[in-house]
Amino acid sequence: MQSIENLKFLTKEQVRNLASTFGTPIYVYSRRGIELSCEKALSFPNAFGITVRFAMKANPSRTVLEVLRRKGIHIDASSEHEVRRAILAGFKPQEILLTSQQLALGLKDLVQSGVQFNACSLKQLEEFGKLFPSGEVSIRFNPGLGSGATKKTDVGGKTSSFGIWHEDLSKVQDIVQKYSLKVIRIHTHIGSGSDPEVWKAVAHYTLEIAAKFPNCHTVNLGGGFKVGRMADEKTTDPQVIGVPVKELFQKFEKEHGKKLKMEIEPGSFLMVNNGAIVSRVDDVVSTGDGGFTFVKLDIGMDVNTRPALYAAKHPLVVVSKEENATRAKGEVVYVGHCCESGDIMTQEEGGGPRTVVTEIPNIDDFVVMEGAGAYCSSMSLKNYNSYPETPEVLLDLEGKFQLIRKKQTLEQVVQNELLVPL
C-alpha cells in the first residue's frame, strides 16, 4: 500500500496563498531547486570536460529557460521550432544541438546561423551532406539497446525508430565519404528513466563507434536519468553512475590518444521535483460497496497527461482549505475534470482506477501534485474540452511567487480559427 506523500518544496501555508492569489489550477516551480539540480548535473564526473544540455521538450517555459541559461546549461532541441524558441529565450545558436525525428525544413538557415545538427537517420545525413559538403555534423546511433521506465519511454533497440541502426555503420561511412563530412560528435540516447547499468553499457558501445570517426571530439550520451517522484522511488546519483563512464573515457584516451569531451542531456533530472501543480477538489463521489471513492480535481489530462499516457505515478498531497484542520486517511482514486474515461490521475498500467492512501479531502480542499516540473505542462493535452492553458508561477530565491505564464483566455484558445462563408 502506498505511503502518505509529503510536499517537496512548498509549505501548506504557501499552497493556500498560491490558491488565494492566483486561483487553481496552477503550476509552480522552485528556482532554488532548479539551480541546485543544475549544479549537480554540471558536476557529473568527466575526464576531459562536459557540456550539459537541457532536453528542452521537458519544459520550454521562458523563465525556466532563463534560469537554466544563467547556470551555463545548453540546449537539446527536438524540433526546429524548439530551436527558434530557445534563440528567442536568449540562447546562442552555437549552444543548441538539434536532434529531430523530422528533418527541419529550415535546416540550411539554422546551420548557417550556428546551430549544431545531429543526423538521426540515413536520409537526414544525406540531406545534410547535399547542403553542406565538407561540413561538420553529429550523428545519432541506435546502439541496439534501450531502457526506459515504461515501454513507451524506451528509445533504443529494435522497437525504436530513433537514431541510425548501429549495424548500418558502413552506410553512414559511405555517406560521410561521399560528401567529405567531418563527424565531430557521436550521440546515443536509450530512454527516459533508463537502467544505469544499461546506460553504462551503451556508453561503452558509443565510444567504440566514436573510434571509427577520426574527427570526432565529443560523445553525447543523452539523458534519461531516473528521477524518483514517489517516496519509494530512487533517483539516479550522477556521482555513482558517472565514475565508471569517466573511466571509459580515460581508457579511450590511452588506447586512441584522443581526449573526448562528454555531453549529457538531462530533462527530468533538472526539473521533475522542482515543479508541482496546485489543484482544488471539485467533488467527491462514491460507487458504493465494492466500488471506489473518487476525488474529482480541477485538473486533468489537459494539465498533465502523464497519468493517462503512461499510468505515471505522481505524489498527491492534500492540503486542507482551513488551517489546522485534520482529515482522516483512507483509500481513494483521484480523477481529472475532462469528460474522458481515461482521465484518471491514479490509474493502473493499461487503464482502470488505482487506489492510493491519502488524507480524504473535502470539497474545496487543495491537492498538490508533485513531480510535475518536467513533461507535464509541455506535454499536456492543452485545450481538451476547451479548458484554458494552465498558468505558471516561479517561487523565487526570496520566497516570493512571480507569475511567469498567464492563464489563457477564451479569445486566445480560438484565435487561429477561421469562419469561412457557408
Side-chain angles (χ1 to χ4, degrees), residues 181-197:
L181 298 175
K182 299 178 181 66
V183 180
I184 62 170
R185 179 188 290 101
I186 296 298
H187 173 277
T188 56
H189 175 57
I190 58 173
S192 180
S194 55
D195 183 333
E197 292 303 316

Side-chain angles (χ1 to χ4, degrees), residues 49-63:
I50 188 169
T51 296
V52 177
R53 298 186 180 278
F54 176 54
M56 185 174 160
K57 61 184 180 290
N59 191 321
S61 178
R62 176 65 181 84
T63 298

